[in-house]
């Protein structure tokens, strides 16, 4: 007899275990069995809830992207007037998404998006939202908000890439990107 109300908890446990397992391994070269074991359940149950490894990983990335969105919105809500750009940058490096396991998941997400249409779709959504937020934040602060947004978005993604390659050892990441943003804004005519 199934336990009522357990599905959301088990799904959440599998999503968290997926991020942790990928973080520990550093790649998508993990099995559903390894993920399920880390979550404390059977691989059959994991397959029942998600269907397969690709679906579990996409659910994990949806979770990370949702948390990222919440972090950015929270930073924007508490930002002082005129500090929208700084809030977006700070939200981009909130500790919820800037952990070694999450950073590894981001890196693998970029790789997966090269060959998986659903991952590519999620990546496009993330990139469009980030770009839109940055362009809005840069209006009136630099001559070409679209170009500035592209550079800052690349800097944010680059910090995640560098963190992944340096085993997550990235202190002051937001400060580094904020410095690039200030340099861009200072270059306006």
């Amino acid at each position: 007899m199934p336990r009522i109300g357990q599905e959301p908890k088990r799904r959440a446990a599998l999503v968290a275990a997926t991020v942790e397992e990928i973080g520990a391994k550093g790649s998508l070269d993990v099995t559903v069995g390894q993920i399920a074991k880390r979550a404390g359940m059977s691989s059959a149950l994991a397959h029942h809830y998600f269907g397969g490894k690709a679906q579990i990983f996409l659910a994990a990335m949806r979770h990370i992207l949702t948390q990222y969105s919440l972090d950015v919105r929270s930073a924007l809500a508490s930002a002082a007037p005129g500090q929208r750009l700084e809030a977006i940058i700070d939200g981009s490096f909130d500790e919820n998404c800037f952990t070694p396991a999450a950073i590894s998941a981001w890196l693998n997400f970029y790789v997966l998006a090269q060959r998986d249409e659903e991952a590519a779709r999620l990546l496009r959504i993330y990139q469009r939202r980030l770009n839109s937020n940055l362009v809005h934040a840069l209006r009136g602060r630099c001559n070409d908000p679209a170009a500035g947004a592209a550079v800052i978005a690349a800097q944010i993604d680059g910090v995640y890439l560098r963190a992944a390659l340096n085993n997550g050892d990235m202190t002051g990441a937001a400060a580094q990107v904020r410095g690039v943003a200030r340099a861009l804004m200072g270059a306006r005519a």
Side-chain angles (χ1 to χ4, degrees):
M1 184 70 116
R3 291 183 176 174
I4 305 298
Q6 289 299 307
E7 182 176 349
K9 292 177 186 173
R10 289 177 179 160
R11 283 181 174 271
L14 284 165
V15 164
T18 301
V19 173
E20 291 301 320
E21 195 65 30
I22 290 169
K25 186 78 169 192
S27 75
L28 292 177
D29 190 23
V30 297
T31 66
V32 174
Q34 291 168 322
I35 293 167
K37 182 177 179 182
R38 186 177 283 264
M41 60 188 80
S42 71
S43 61
L45 200 53
H47 280 289
H48 169 73
Y49 287 133
F50 291 101
K53 183 173 79 169
Q55 290 81 14
I56 295 173
F57 180 66
L58 290 173
M61 281 314 301
R62 280 188 203 93
H63 172 76
I64 289 172
L65 288 166
T66 298
Q67 186 60 56
Y68 169 80
S69 176
L70 291 170
D71 294 339
V72 171
R73 281 188 273 165
S74 174
L76 286 169
S78 62
Q83 297 296 303
R84 185 175 177 85
L85 177 64
E86 291 78 3
I88 293 167
I89 293 169
D90 289 343
S92 294
F93 298 107
D94 191 275
E95 63 186 48
N96 290 317
C97 293
F98 204 68
T99 64
I103 290 167
S104 183
W106 274 104
L107 181 62
N108 284 286
F109 177 55
Y110 272 83
V111 172
L112 182 63
Q114 299 297 307
R115 63 180 192 275
D116 182 274
E117 185 52 40
E118 182 62 16
R121 185 185 74 76
L122 286 174
L123 182 59
R124 283 191 304 273
I125 291 169
Y126 154 72
Q127 289 174 330
R128 286 178 184 158
R129 285 181 182 162
L130 177 60
N131 186 63
S132 175
N133 279 326
L134 289 171
V135 167
H136 180 73
L138 288 169
R139 284 192 182 128
R141 292 181 77 174
C142 68
N143 287 337
D144 188 353
V151 170
I152 294 169
Q155 289 292 318
I156 290 169
D157 290 343
V159 171
Y160 273 87
L161 176 61
R162 183 166 285 184
L165 297 175
N166 291 330
N167 297 320
D169 184 25
M170 287 298 296
T171 57
Q176 293 172 0
V177 177
R178 228 182 280 111
V180 171
R182 284 192 185 108
L184 282 171
M185 291 181 294
R188 72 184 225 190

